[in-house]
Each structure stands twice: as structure tokens, then as C-alpha cells.
Amino acid sequence: MTTIAWQRRRRSLASFWREYRRDKAGLIGLGILVVIGGLALTAPLFISEADLSATNAPAKPRQAPSSEYWLGADGYGRSMVDVTIWGARISLAVGFLATFMSVAVGALLGILAGHYRGWVEAVVLRVTDWFLVLPTLVLATALASVLKPGTTTVIVAIGVTSWPGTARLVRAQTLAVEARPYIERARALGGGNRHVMSRHVLPNVMPLVLAQTTLSVAGAILAEATLAFLGMSDPTKVSWGTTLQLARQIGAVSAGNWWILLPPGVAIAVVSLAFTLCGRAIEGVLNPKLRAR
């Protein structure tokens, strides 16, 4: 049985990749993420932490782009190439961890609300509606301001405030799955709530969760940059958001130091677009209606 299950999984993955390759935009987004992710993972191999020090930076503060420093230097004299590449480590980590927290909470509450009716569904929906009414950024800012500023605070603030959309989608999918005949047969054969949710509902909901995860990472990276720009993150950590915050503090806009603003801003836009392209491609593969279009 185990061998058969693995064969089915391999065939499913092969079929998924064949369908995914047909989406050119999805391939472009995946290629961008592979390149940026590879640079972020291997950054310690070619970037010294001493070059990122605010006190021992190798270049002059606000040095313009040159043959030695392609993108110039920031307000401390750190190479903007090194800062941008190293900042990807924090920004991507926050994006993935916050999205994992958000999707996990949303998927759990969505399945519970779709499976259990009555007071459980009512309570989950009312809490979800309350979070949906409040602006996510304002709520995340308020939560981050109460807790100690830092990367963990930003992750918790984004994860706790961005799950309602996933919960709504998963609940709707759960209701659709539980209306199918094989769920009634499973119950007739003695399957309990735990069996139905884990063996029937969850596998059918996971494709939607996967697509939602990919799309949510882009929003989490933007939220991290926003919170860091507002001073809610750890200023000693190099991320795209803290780089933009430093540019604001030193008045890079009014001074015309565009090379301090442009690299992290472009990096955020490119990564967000790449995740969106990948998410749309995955959604098209997993959704037969979109695939037909």
C-alpha cells in the first residue's frame, strides 16, 4: 500500500508540473523566486557581516553608485548590493513564517466552522467578521506597538491579523466537500468527526490552502516592510523594510539619494509580483474551471 501511495503521489506531482509549465508567467515568477531565494541562502558565503556593520562600513555614507559600489552606499556607508541581498533573508523569512501562521490558523478555523454547525460556526464567523472589519495594517501596527519591537513581533502581528480571508475560503470549500456523497458513506460506515476532517475534508482543502499560501506571502512581505518602515521591527536587523526606514530617517528623498530607496523598493515589488504569478499559476492548475479557461 505504501508503494502504491508513493507512486500515486509521484504521478500527481508529475502531472502538476506538466500543467504548471504551460503557464509562462508562473515559470517566470518561479525563476525569479529561485534566483532571489538562492542569493538569500548563500549570502553569508560572499557577504561578510562586518561589511553590514553600521560602525565599520567600508564605503562613505550616501556614496553614489560607482564601479566599486554598483548601487551606491546607504546612510551608514554599507554597499546597497550587500544590504539588498542580505535584507532578503529577513524579509523572506518573515513572509514565509507569518504566512504559515496565518494560513494554519485560517485553515483550522475554516474547517471547524464548515464541519461543525451551530454555536461553533457562529463563534468562528463572528470573530472572523470582527477581524475583517478592522483594517489589517492598523490592527497589526497596534499589536506590534504593544509588544517589544522585533522580528518575532512583526511575524506574530502579521500572522494574527491576516488569517480571516483564508478562514472564509476554507470554510466555503469545506461546506462544498461535505455535501458530496462519499462523506455520507464515510459517516454511515462509522467515520467520526476526526476521521472525516482529517481523511476527507483536509486532503480536498489542501490545494486551496497551497494556492492561498503562495498568494499570501506577497502580502506578508509588504506588511513586514510597512511595519519595519514604521519602526515596529528590530532596527539592528537588515531587511528591506529597515533599509527604507533608514532612508526616511536620513532624508534620502529630499536629498535626492535615490540609490538608497530604489533597490529595496524594487526588490519588494519584484518578489511580490513573483509570488503572485506563482500563486495564480498554482491556482490555475488546481482549479479545473480556471484550467479550462
Side-chain angles (χ1 to χ4, degrees), residues 9-91:
R9 291 172 185 174
R10 284 196 294 268
R11 286 196 297 267
S12 298
L13 289 175
S15 176
F16 174 85
W17 177 241
R18 284 195 302 270
E19 293 293 334
Y20 187 92
R21 286 186 301 177
R22 297 179 181 179
D23 193 313
K24 301 301 181 182
L27 285 178
I28 293 174
L30 181 61
I32 293 173
L33 293 180
V34 169
V35 172
I36 295 179
L39 288 174
L41 290 174
T42 59
L45 300 179
F46 56 89
I47 297 177
S48 174
E49 292 192 22
D51 294 337
L52 299 174
S53 173
T55 57
N56 298 318
K60 296 180 180 179
R62 305 191 186 193
Q63 181 171 331
S66 62
S67 58
E68 185 178 3
Y69 298 99
W70 298 344
L71 297 179
D74 66 358
Y76 293 128
R78 301 175 297 186
S79 170
M80 286 303 303
V81 174
D82 295 346
V83 169
T84 303
I85 294 176
W86 196 274
R89 297 170 61 85
I90 298 296
S91 296

